[in-house]
Amino acid sequence: MRKKILLPNGCSCSTPSVYPSNWKIGGKSLLKKKWYINYYFYDPEFPKPKQVVIKGMNEYSNLEDRRNATKLIYEDELKALKELGYNPFTKRNFCEIEKPKNELHKDLNIIEAFRLSHDKLKKSVSKDYFNEIRIAINRFEKGARELRMLNIKIKDFKRSELKTILEYLNLTDHYFNKFRSYLSSLFNELVEYDCCEHNLTRDIRKRKIIKKVRETLEIEHLKQIAEYLKEEQPYFYRYMMIFFYSGARSSELLRIKKCDVNIEKQEYKVIIEKGRQHTETIKIILPDALPFWIELINQAKTNDYLFSIKLKPGSTTIDPVQITRRWNYHIKSKMVIHNNQIIEKSNLKKDEKGIPVTADFYSLKHLFLDKVDASSENYENISSRLASHTTPNITNSVYLINKKKREREKLKNLKIDFLEERA
DNA sequence: ATTCCGTGAACGCTCACATG
DNA sequence: CATGTGAGCGTTCACGGAAT
């Protein structure tokens, strides 16, 4: 009996034989015969073996050529069987078939399943959110590892086990809930791919959160800070004024290019990135902010971002986090309130203690928006209009577009006595 | 030496929808 | 119409490198 040869994917074959058997040494009379290579292929998925016969060598009528051809065919066939996983039943090379390696299936362990599921979200969620989920999975994996729960298969994963891991992670209430929602996104995918029956997170209670009030500043103090920044950090001051008067997010402002701004119309456009759709939105420039915009535009080249490095026009974008850092660096860590005045910490006398400035930059936006609403009795909810949150339904309606246009025209004339020195 | 910027991680807030 | 949920975007902190 010839030896069986083991092949990829649990298949095997008999050692191919060549007819005539004395093909290597026989004389010219062999040329009268029809040569062939013969072997049997075994695939556990098929009940009977398949007999394979190859005859390509017979087109050579010279004995040497036929021998060589046979040898080549023989070697090629073996190579195809062993290395490419050629399967005579399916006529495909098993090893070259796109493996469902990246596919979700219920036998994956929980972390593998989470990671694959996470990968599927890439197309539909923001970069940030995608990243946050990745971070959450990392942390989850760490917990599961420490609890020796890494090897649980996704199909066997139990609510109680999920709960155990989550509890073990010692998350704050808020982050616990966030975590829960990250995992929920993952489970939604997993359920769709039949990896599990339910979205297990749904059965885990959310934790109660106590809302904190954001610290803010007195308007008077903010004015003083603005004065200070005007002298010491004019670019930051300029940004701050535009930010406050715009009602926009830093992430939006930092993406604006010179060509997005139309000074004559008092308008600029921003791109709001939500999911896959990036929506362009027109926002207006309030009269009080106009000088700052003009200054920026004059300093910028056409393709410049208005707020690049150092918050000056330039060719690169910067991370919105820079705004917070500036605020921390220049205000929070340097300035204190003393005798109801904002002063530099270093100017305090020895035994004097100031009240630290704790308000964060963003909280001041709310302060300002309140002010906007208050100073514009006629236009209720101006601030949300400034922020211009749109929904798809609204943008689709011509009537509403015109209405929005009219509203914008009104805003263009709105004056607010914010941070204005009065004579 | 000081200032600024980038990145990863953790955590916080809130709008816009879906849901009931 | 109130409430829950998903998603986007915000801050804080630590570390480290580049520019000035």
Side-chain angles (χ1 to χ4, degrees):
Chain A
M1 223 20 216
R2 284 173 182 264
K3 248 199 191 162
K4 259 197 180 184
I5 300 170
L6 274 180
L7 299 172
N9 202 26
C11 297
S12 59
C13 66
S14 61
T15 303
S17 57
V18 178
Y19 174 88
S21 53
N22 59 341
W23 65 286
K24 280 184 184 164
I25 51 172
K28 283 211 167 165
S29 61
L30 288 179
L31 286 172
K32 289 176 189 156
K33 298 182 174 171
K34 290 272 179 208
W35 293 25
Y36 60 82
I37 297 169
N38 175 48
Y39 69 92
Y40 287 86
F41 185 85
Y42 304 86
D43 184 333
E45 294 302 315
F46 296 85
K48 287 183 188 166
K50 187 177 179 78
Q51 183 183 21
V52 181
V53 178
I54 307 166
K55 303 177 191 160
M57 67 294 275
N58 291 314
E59 60 191 75
Y60 299 95
S61 43
N62 172 301
L63 186 58
E64 256 340 277
D65 286 350
R66 193 177 290 193
R67 284 205 234 271
N68 285 333
T70 306
K71 193 168 172 249
L72 279 177
I73 294 172
Y74 191 98
E75 283 166 1
D76 277 356
E77 188 71 6
L78 267 187
K79 201 172 166 190
L81 287 164
K82 287 180 180 166
E83 289 171 28
L84 303 179
Y86 173 70
N87 185 320
F89 283 107
T90 61
K91 307 247 192 290
R92 286 166 189 250
N93 296 334
F94 180 80
C95 300
E96 286 178 341
I97 296 169
E98 289 271 334
K99 288 284 175 6
K101 241 188 273 161
N102 296 322
E103 269 318 306
L104 280 166
H105 58 86
K106 49 177 85 167
D107 289 318
L108 291 167
N109 74 41
I110 47 177
I111 300 300
E112 285 167 350
F114 284 166
R115 297 228 183 264
L116 285 176
S117 164
H118 174 231
D119 217 51
K120 299 220 174 284
L121 288 174
K122 188 166 200 166
K123 280 171 273 168
S124 54
V125 302
S126 81
K127 220 177 71 218
D128 285 356
Y129 190 60
F130 185 73
N131 193 37
E132 282 168 45
I133 297 179
R134 185 182 54 75
I135 292 161
I137 298 175
N138 290 345
R139 183 146 174 198
F140 193 87
E141 182 175 22
K142 213 174 134 216
R145 174 173 292 118
E146 288 166 23
L147 288 169
R148 308 296 128 106
M149 293 171 82
L150 276 181
N151 291 324
I152 300 171
K153 286 184 176 173
I154 190 65
K155 65 173 177 189
D156 303 326
F157 201 33
K158 292 201 196 75
R159 182 168 50 215
S160 58
E161 292 166 333
L162 173 61
K163 204 167 150 63
T164 304
I165 297 174
L166 280 178
E167 297 287 344
Y168 177 77
L169 294 179
N170 249 335
L171 307 166
T172 60
D173 291 345
H174 205 282
Y175 199 42
F176 180 92
N177 290 345
K178 193 83 189 276
F179 227 83
R180 191 178 156 280
S181 88
Y182 292 145
L183 292 178
S184 175
S185 308
L186 297 175
F187 272 110
N188 284 340
E189 291 292 319
L190 293 172
V191 169
E192 263 194 52
Y193 282 84
D194 263 342
C195 294
C196 49
E197 291 297 312
H198 311 286
N199 186 332
L200 293 184
T201 55
R202 300 232 191 276
D203 304 323
I204 290 183
R205 229 170 309 158
K206 274 178 94 172
R207 290 186 181 165
K208 292 219 168 77
I209 306 289
I210 299 153
K211 256 195 191 175
K212 282 186 192 149
V213 182
R214 256 199 164 160
E215 301 211 39
T216 183
L217 276 175
E218 297 296 323
I219 269 285
E220 195 48 47
H221 293 151
L222 183 53
K223 277 188 192 177
Q224 290 172 23
I225 287 175
E227 284 305 311
Y228 171 81
L229 285 180
K230 195 175 176 177
E231 294 303 317
E232 303 294 326
Q233 295 284 328
Y235 301 135
F236 190 21
Y237 170 75
R238 182 172 65 192
Y239 178 80
M240 186 170 105
M241 298 309 274
I242 287 178
F243 176 80
F244 285 165
Y245 281 117
S246 72
R249 299 187 175 97
S250 283
S251 59
E252 292 163 9
L253 291 177
L254 296 186
R255 277 201 300 264
I256 297 178
K257 288 182 165 188
K258 177 176 181 175
C259 46
D260 297 327
V261 184
N262 186 330
I263 289 289
E264 285 73 39
K265 282 185 163 174
Q266 277 180 242
E267 285 176 356
Y268 62 97
K269 64 178 185 214
V270 291
I271 293 157
I272 295 168
E273 294 178 4
K274 260 190 181 176
R276 254 177 145 172
Q277 284 130 348
H278 292 191
T279 331
E280 249 184 22
T281 308
I282 305 280
K283 297 201 174 199
I284 46 93
I285 298 172
L286 292 180
D288 294 296
L290 202 49
F292 300 105
W293 284 95
I294 291 171
E295 188 184 313
L296 271 174
I297 291 298
N298 287 340
Q299 290 170 8
K301 296 180 200 115
T302 317
N303 264 324
D304 275 357
Y305 293 97
L306 291 189
F307 302 102
S308 184
I309 289 166
K310 300 202 173 187
L311 297 181
K312 288 193 289 190
S315 57
T316 53
T317 53
I318 59 171
D319 195 302
V321 81
Q322 299 307 343
I323 306 302
T324 308
R325 287 175 179 158
R326 271 168 206 279
W327 181 257
N328 289 340
Y329 188 79
H330 293 293
I331 303 300
K332 277 185 161 178
S333 63
K334 265 193 198 163
M335 312 301 283
V336 289
I337 305 166
H338 181 65
N339 291 338
N340 214 26
Q341 295 291 308
I342 298 274
I343 60 166
E344 283 186 60
K345 225 184 234 172
S346 53
N347 287 344
L348 283 173
K349 301 211 175 70
K350 260 185 190 161
D351 46 348
E352 287 176 344
K353 255 197 187 164
I355 306 162
V357 176
T358 52
D360 57 52
F361 190 74
Y362 219 66
S363 75
L364 305 180
K365 181 183 167 178
H366 301 304
L367 181 75
F368 173 73
L369 290 178
D370 283 349
K371 181 84 180 164
V372 175
D373 274 345
S375 61
S376 56
E377 331 72 55
N378 294 332
Y379 315 123
E380 59 167 299
N381 221 1
I382 292 273
S383 56
S384 69
R385 242 174 263 166
L386 270 173
S388 74
H389 292 112
T390 56
T391 66
N393 305 351
I394 287 177
T395 46
N396 285 338
S397 146
V398 174
Y399 164 72
L400 284 172
I401 285 175
N402 287 335
K403 191 176 168 204
K404 282 190 118 23
K405 221 173 183 174
R406 287 196 298 277
E407 283 170 357
R408 287 206 297 265
E409 293 310 314
K410 280 188 201 168
L411 285 172
K412 284 177 187 172
N413 297 314
L414 180 66
K415 291 283 268 182
I416 299 154
D417 62 343
F418 178 68
L419 300 186
E420 293 287 307
E421 288 303 321
R422 267 176 259 180

